Amino acid sequence: TSTENCAVALLDGEDLHSRSEPAGQRHSEILLGMIDRLLAESGVRLTELDALAFGAGPGSFTGVRIAASVAQGLAFGASLPVVPVCTLEALAESCGADKIATALDARLDEVYFAAYERSGHDWMPVVEPCLAAIADLPTLPGADWQGTGSGFSILDQQLARHLHIQQADSTTVPQADAIARLASRKLLAAQLGGQVAAMFDAANAQPIYLRNKVAMTIAERHAKGYK
């Protein structure tokens, strides 16, 4: 729920069932119903799940809080662990390339940004998730990078030019099926290390905000050239 899209998914072994739809500002109205329908269609009860996962952000402040609170509420009721997943990593997971720059429009002429390189089934961060003006982002090492996410659409596609990326898709949004696949791998690694309870306690499931301030003063707006 970190963008205008609302998506849920259920991963059962290799079988993936998902729902996704544009939500605007209606995430809190439709999310629980989407979850109920998905479980019913899959013939699975909430208490039969191994874990719950949610897109922890960065993204819409309200959106990531909705995802976190719903995941926590369901997990407490069913005694399940909760796996937070970065939405920027979810963007990378949905892309077919091995070197991915991911960006979401953070408003105020800034982007939520990260860059990942595939290592086996995992993603290794080349640039850790951050909030930045495009001009402040570092150039990426090597070549063959691709871009994905709404951050590539702002300021007349300035981000792709800044990073010297030839191919970027600004229409992609974080999807629940990618969240599910990433969470499954993170959960398995924690199980192998006997760390599930310590790492994925529902009480500790928190959003990834990156931005601590969502509004500017009049002076700050003028300094940036806004009216």
Side-chain angles (χ1 to χ4, degrees):
T1 58
S2 59
T3 66
E4 293 84 355
N5 196 62
C6 188
V8 295
L10 175 66
L11 182 64
D12 183 6
E14 296 299 319
D15 295 328
L16 184 66
H17 309 273
S18 63
R19 285 175 169 267
S20 178
E21 62 182 79
Q25 304 298 319
R26 299 183 303 115
H27 300 84
S28 61
E29 300 173 25
I30 66 176
L31 179 57
L32 285 171
M34 291 175 69
I35 293 171
D36 284 342
R37 288 191 295 273
L38 186 64
L39 289 170
E41 291 169 0
S42 304
V44 176
R45 294 190 299 272
L46 183 68
T47 53
E48 294 176 316
L49 299 178
D50 296 301
L52 290 166
F54 72 100
S60 158
F61 268 56
T62 301
V64 295
R65 286 197 297 269
I66 290 170
S69 61
V70 168
Q72 280 187 318
L74 294 176
F76 282 135
S79 300
L80 296 173
V82 176
V83 185
V85 176
C86 177
T87 51
L88 295 171
E89 189 176 0
L91 281 173
E93 178 73 12
S94 296
C95 190
D98 292 331
K99 299 169 72 174
I100 307 294
T102 63
L104 291 171
D105 182 1
R107 313 302 180 190
L108 307 179
D109 292 342
E110 293 179 318
V111 292
Y112 298 120
F113 181 84
Y116 299 93
E117 190 163 4
R118 192 186 300 273
S119 176
H121 293 294
D122 297 320
W123 292 100
M124 304 302 295
V126 176
V127 178
E128 294 282 354
C130 62
L131 169 70
I134 291 173
D136 295 334
L137 290 170
T139 56
L140 299 175
D144 301 323
W145 287 90
Q146 293 187 26
T148 186
S150 61
F152 283 92
S153 67
I154 70 170
L155 299 175
D156 193 28
Q157 303 176 351
Q158 179 183 337
L159 181 56
R161 295 194 299 275
H162 176 76
L163 297 175
H164 305 292
I165 287 177
Q166 301 299 315
Q167 184 175 347
D169 184 353
S170 63
T171 65
T172 52
V173 294
Q175 290 288 354
D177 52 357
I179 299 287
R181 290 193 297 269
L182 288 165
S184 178
R185 298 201 294 266
K186 296 176 188 296
L187 182 66
L188 178 59
Q191 288 172 335
L192 292 175
Q195 296 293 311
V196 173
M199 294 178 63
F200 300 133
D201 185 338
N204 299 326
Q206 298 296 319
I208 302 170
Y209 287 130
L210 294 186
R211 186 197 295 280
N212 294 319
K213 184 177 181 181
V214 295
M216 292 187 292
T217 65
I218 293 174
E220 288 170 333
R221 290 184 61 83
H222 288 168
K224 281 183 170 286
Y226 300 131
K227 295 181 179 180

